[in-house]
Amino acid sequence: MSPQALPAPPLSAEHADALRRLTDGLDGAGLWWLSGYAAGLASRSAAPTAQAPAAQSEVATGNRLTIVYGSQTGNARRVAERLAADVEHGGLTVRLLSADAYPVRELKHEHHLYLVISTQGDGDPPDDARDLYAFLTGKRAPKLPQLHYAVLGLGDSSYPQFCAIGQTLDARLAELGATRMFDRGDADLDIDTVATPWRQQALAAAREALKPSATVTPLRPPSAAVPAYDRDRPFAAELLVDQRITAGGSDRDIRHFELSLEDAGLHYEPGDALGVWPRNAPELVDEVLSTLALDGDAAVAHGGDELPLREWLGARRELTRLARPLLAAHAERAGDATLTALLAPERNAELARWTGDRQVIDLLREAPAAWPADALVAALRPLTPRLYSIASSRKAVGDEAHLTIAHVDYLHGEARRFGVASHFLAAAGEGAPIPVYLERNERFRLPADPARDVIMIGPGTGVAPFRGFLQERVAIGASGRNWLFFGNPHFRSDFLYQLEWQRALKSGQLHRIDLAFSRDRVDARGAAPESAAAPRKTYVQHRIRERGRELYAWLEGGAHLYVCGAIAMGKDVHTALLDVIATHGGRDPEAAGEYLDSLQQEGRYARDTY
C-alpha cells in the first residue's frame, strides 16, 4: 500500500502527517533502513509491563528471525535485504536491523539470528557495527545458550585480513554458547558466488526452525516504488565536465567531474556516494591477450553467459588489483616456489607490499604461465563498481552530481599503470555516457537541526562530501557554523577548490578553515623552520591537536563531527581527537574513548573512510 493509504496508525494527526512526509519519495533501500531504525528505537524505548510477561516475550522471540547487517559500502545491506525479503515471502516473522540500530541488550533473549557483516581494510568492522563488535568481543557479552545463528562475512581478498570480522564474530558467538545453524560464508568481491547459496541455505534453515505466521507485518509497503536505476541497472550519465584541479607542479592528477543525472530519478543527499561501473583500458586488455597469446574474439562461456574473451576482460573481470586466490592459482600453474612461499599466512605484510603496485599483467609477465581462456575468466575476480563521495548538493547544482577523483597513474618499472575507474573517467571525454548508480549513506548526514555547528575533516579527495555539505548548508540558510580541516602535499598546487573555500570564508559561509600542507617547507605556524634540511611534515591530525581547545569547545556546544578520507588517516585523526578530548576535557584515555563513542551513538561523529 502507498504511504497515503496506510491504515489508521496509533499516532497523533501531527505525527501521522510527519510520517507521510518522511516516507514520501523514499526508495526501497531507504524504507528498509527506516524500518530497522524504527524497530531499534522501539526496542530501546519499550518499557516492561505487567501485561507483557517474560514467558510470552520468549515465545514471540523464539518464533522470530532477526537479521542484523554491518555495511560500509552497501553490499552487506543489500544481501541482508534480499534475505529478509525471501524469509518474509515464506510467511515467516522477520525483522531487519542495521548493526547500529540493534539493541544489544536483546541479544540474550534472541533465539534465531543471522549476521551479515563486512570487513574493512586490514580487519576493521564497518562503522555501523563498531559498537556491536566491541560488545560481542568484550567482557559484557552474555552467555547465549538459547541462540541459533549463522554468519555471512563479506570482504576483499586483496587484503590480508580477508573477512576477519565475520570469522571473529562467528567464533565468538560459538564461544558464548550459541549454536551454529550452518557454516559461515566468506564472500569475496564476486559476492553472489558465495552469498546466493548461503542465502538459500539460510532460508531453508529458517523454514525448518520457525513456524509460518498468518500475521506477518511487511517490512516495507508492497507498492514501494522500485527505482528505475540501481547497482544492477546503472544510469548512463553524460559526462559534462572533466577538469584537473591540481596545478601543473603537482605530482597528483586530481580531477573534478560533473555528470548529468537528468531524467534518472537519482535524488541524492549530501553524504551519499555515486557508484561508477568502469571498463578496463583497451590497451591493458590487449597487453593481457598478447602476453598470454590468447584470441580476444574467442567465445568464452562462464556463469551462464557467453561473451568474447576481449569483452570478459574489458567489462567483466578485474585486471588492476591482485587477489590471493588468483596468486595461488597462478603460482601453481607457473610452478613458482617463491610466489607460493609469499602466500604463507605469516608473510601477509610482505605480500601486501608486493601486490601494492602490481596488477594482473605484472604477475603474468614476472611469473610466466599458460592460461586457457576459460580458466582465466574463471580465475579472475569480477570487475566491481567504484564508489565516490558526491561533491555537490542538488539544491545548488540541480540534476547533476559532482565528483572529486584522483587519477591513479603510476610507473611499475618502466610500464605505465592506471586505476580502472579513475582512468575510465579521465579517458572518457566530455559527452561520454558513464554508467552510474546511487549508493545512500544514511550514517553520513548533516544534522537535522540547521543551527548545529559542523566540523569537517577531509584531507585530499576526502574533502569531496564537504563541498556538498557547505553547498547544502548555504542553500537552506543554516545558522550553524562550519569549520573545515583540509590537508594535501603543497599549498600552491594541491589546494583543492581553493577559490571556493576562500570565497566562502570571506562571505562568512565558512567560519573557520585550518590547512595542513605536508610537503611545504614551513612549520606548524606557517613560518620557515630553523632547520630547512628537515622540515616537519604537518598533517590534519597536527592541526587538530593545535586547535584542540576550540575544537573541544565546539563539541561541548553540540557540534557534529565528520571525517572522510583514507582509512589510515581516519585512524590518525581518531587518535588526535582522543588526545584533544583527554587534554581539554580533563579525561583519562578510557573516558575520552567513551566520549567519542557517545558522540558516534548520538549521530554526532561520523566517518566515511576507504
Side-chain angles (χ1 to χ4, degrees):
M1 62 183 70
S2 68
Q4 291 76 17
L6 284 170
L11 304 171
S12 67
E14 179 182 355
H15 286 146
D17 181 63
L19 178 62
R20 281 190 289 271
R21 286 186 282 107
L22 176 65
T23 57
D24 183 37
L26 282 181
D27 62 7
L31 289 166
W32 277 88
W33 181 90
L34 184 60
S35 71
Y37 180 75
L41 291 179
S43 298
R44 292 174 186 172
S45 62
T49 66
Q51 289 74 28
Q56 292 180 6
S57 175
E58 288 180 10
V59 170
T61 303
N63 198 43
R64 178 192 68 198
L65 172 66
T66 296
I67 301 173
V68 175
Y69 64 85
S71 185
Q72 190 77 17
T73 62
N75 290 326
R77 171 180 55 79
R78 273 187 290 269
V79 173
E81 287 175 353
R82 290 172 185 168
L83 176 58
D86 292 343
V87 174
E88 181 188 36
H89 293 156
L92 305 176
T93 303
V94 60
R95 66 170 178 165
L96 175 70
L97 295 167
S98 63
D100 55 359
Y102 181 73
V104 293
R105 69 174 180 272
E106 290 190 6
L107 189 61
K108 62 184 177 182
H109 302 300
E110 205 76 68
H111 284 254
H112 300 95
L113 173 70
Y114 288 160
L115 182 60
V116 182
I117 191 163
S118 63
T119 296
Q120 305 308 306
D122 193 18
D124 294 322
D127 284 346
D128 62 352
R130 289 181 181 275
D131 288 344
L132 178 62
Y133 181 81
F135 176 79
L136 280 172
T137 57
K139 296 180 180 179
R140 295 182 179 178
K143 295 297 182 182
L144 301 170
Q146 85 295 339
L147 180 65
H148 293 73
Y149 76 95
V151 176
L152 174 64
L154 276 65
D156 180 346
S157 59
S158 297
Y159 292 97
Q161 300 298 319
F162 172 59
C163 286
I165 297 302
Q167 294 166 11
T168 298
L169 293 183
D170 180 48
R172 178 58 171 163
L173 289 171
E175 182 183 337
L176 293 170
T179 301
R180 187 181 293 110
M181 298 171 71
F182 53 91
D183 290 343
R184 183 191 69 250
D186 292 335
D188 204 344
L189 294 184
D190 50 341
I191 297 169
D192 288 340
T193 302
V194 171
T196 297
W198 188 91
R199 278 178 27 232
Q200 293 168 348
Q201 192 171 9
L203 178 58
R207 284 174 172 162
E208 184 175 341
L210 303 175
K211 297 177 182 179
S213 170
T215 58
V216 174
T217 302
L219 292 174
R220 56 179 168 177
S223 62
V226 176
Y229 302 102
D230 57 22
R231 186 181 188 273
D232 299 322
R233 296 163 296 179
F235 173 73
E238 181 185 355
L239 180 57
L240 301 174
V241 172
D242 171 0
Q243 177 184 1
R244 177 169 173 156
I245 55 175
T246 45
S250 174
D251 60 358
R252 301 185 179 192
D253 177 7
I254 298 180
R255 307 284 183 99
H256 171 80
F257 295 102
E258 298 181 5
L259 298 105
S260 172
L261 300 182
E262 188 174 358
D263 300 326
L266 299 178
H267 304 308
Y268 65 86
E269 298 293 332
D272 288 339
L274 202 67
V276 174
W277 275 104
R279 289 185 65 97
N280 287 302
E283 299 81 5
L284 178 59
V285 173
D286 287 341
E287 193 174 358
V288 170
L289 292 171
S290 175
T291 299
L292 294 175
L294 294 173
D295 179 5
D297 296 325
V300 177
H302 180 77
D305 291 331
E306 183 172 283
L307 299 168
L309 178 58
R310 186 182 302 279
E311 183 65 13
W312 279 112
L313 298 181
R316 299 288 193 94
R317 286 297 179 263
E318 180 66 71
L319 296 182
T320 61
R321 291 178 178 174
L322 283 173
R324 180 181 290 269
L326 176 67
L327 287 170
H330 189 77
E332 183 178 354
R333 282 183 174 273
D336 192 313
T338 301
L339 188 56
T340 300
L342 191 59
L343 292 165
E346 64 272 14
R347 299 182 67 180
N348 278 341
E350 185 181 351
L351 177 63
R353 289 192 296 271
W354 191 87
T355 58
D357 65 346
R358 286 176 170 84
Q359 299 187 355
V360 170
I361 184 60
D362 301 309
L363 174 68
L364 299 178
R365 287 183 175 278
E366 293 175 27
W371 276 95
D374 56 348
L376 179 66
V377 168
L380 290 169
R381 293 193 302 177
L383 184 61
T384 57
R386 273 40 172 185
L387 293 177
Y388 298 104
S389 297
I390 298 175
S392 56
S393 162
R394 291 175 57 235
K395 292 181 176 64
V397 304
D399 289 333
E400 295 180 6
H402 298 178
L403 304 177
T404 311
I405 299 176
H407 181 203
V408 178
D409 178 356
Y410 63 95
L411 289 176
H412 176 69
E414 297 181 357
R416 195 173 182 187
R417 301 291 179 235
F418 301 103
V420 59
S422 64
H423 188 60
F424 172 69
L425 282 162
E430 294 179 359
I434 306 296
V436 302
Y437 66 96
L438 179 61
E439 188 64 57
R440 299 193 182 279
N441 188 352
E442 301 292 349
R443 302 184 315 278
F444 207 75
R445 288 282 186 258
L446 281 166
D449 180 1
R452 291 292 186 105
D453 298 333
V454 298
I455 303 167
M456 305 167 286
I457 303 170
T461 57
V463 79
F466 303 135
R467 182 175 183 264
F469 274 26
L470 189 61
Q471 288 180 355
E472 181 82 4
R473 299 266 283 180
V474 170
I476 65 175
S479 59
R481 297 173 295 173
N482 306 305
W483 184 354
L484 175 68
F485 286 85
F486 172 75
N488 236 354
H490 300 289
F491 171 84
R492 291 186 178 275
S493 57
D494 302 313
F495 191 174
L496 308 183
Y497 302 111
Q498 177 182 356
L499 294 180
E500 290 186 28
W501 301 126
Q502 290 175 334
R503 283 196 297 265
L505 193 64
K506 184 176 181 180
S507 68
Q509 297 168 346
L510 183 64
H511 299 80
R512 291 198 59 160
I513 186 169
D514 281 283
L515 305 169
F517 294 102
S518 59
R519 302 302 189 271
D520 284 348
R521 302 175 73 82
V522 296
D523 64 14
R525 299 180 302 278
E530 294 182 5
S531 173
R536 166 184 159 180
K537 291 182 179 180
T538 303
Y539 299 100
V540 288
Q541 56 265 32
H542 298 125
R543 294 291 185 240
I544 288 168
R545 290 187 174 93
E546 294 164 12
R547 309 295 187 256
R549 185 178 300 278
E550 301 99 310
L551 192 151
Y552 181 72
W554 277 48
L555 292 178
E556 284 290 275
H560 286 231
L561 176 64
Y562 303 89
V563 181
C564 183
I567 290 175
M569 177 279 305
K571 291 181 178 179
D572 290 339
V573 165
H574 188 83
T575 300
L577 291 170
L578 290 173
D579 291 345
V580 165
I581 293 164
T583 301
H584 300 285
R587 292 173 168 84
D588 60 29
E590 183 178 357
E594 291 173 352
Y595 183 94
L596 264 187
D597 289 343
S598 68
L599 291 185
Q600 189 169 28
Q601 290 164 6
E602 294 169 23
R604 290 178 51 208
Y605 176 31
R607 294 181 290 184
D608 185 8
T609 55
Y610 42 84

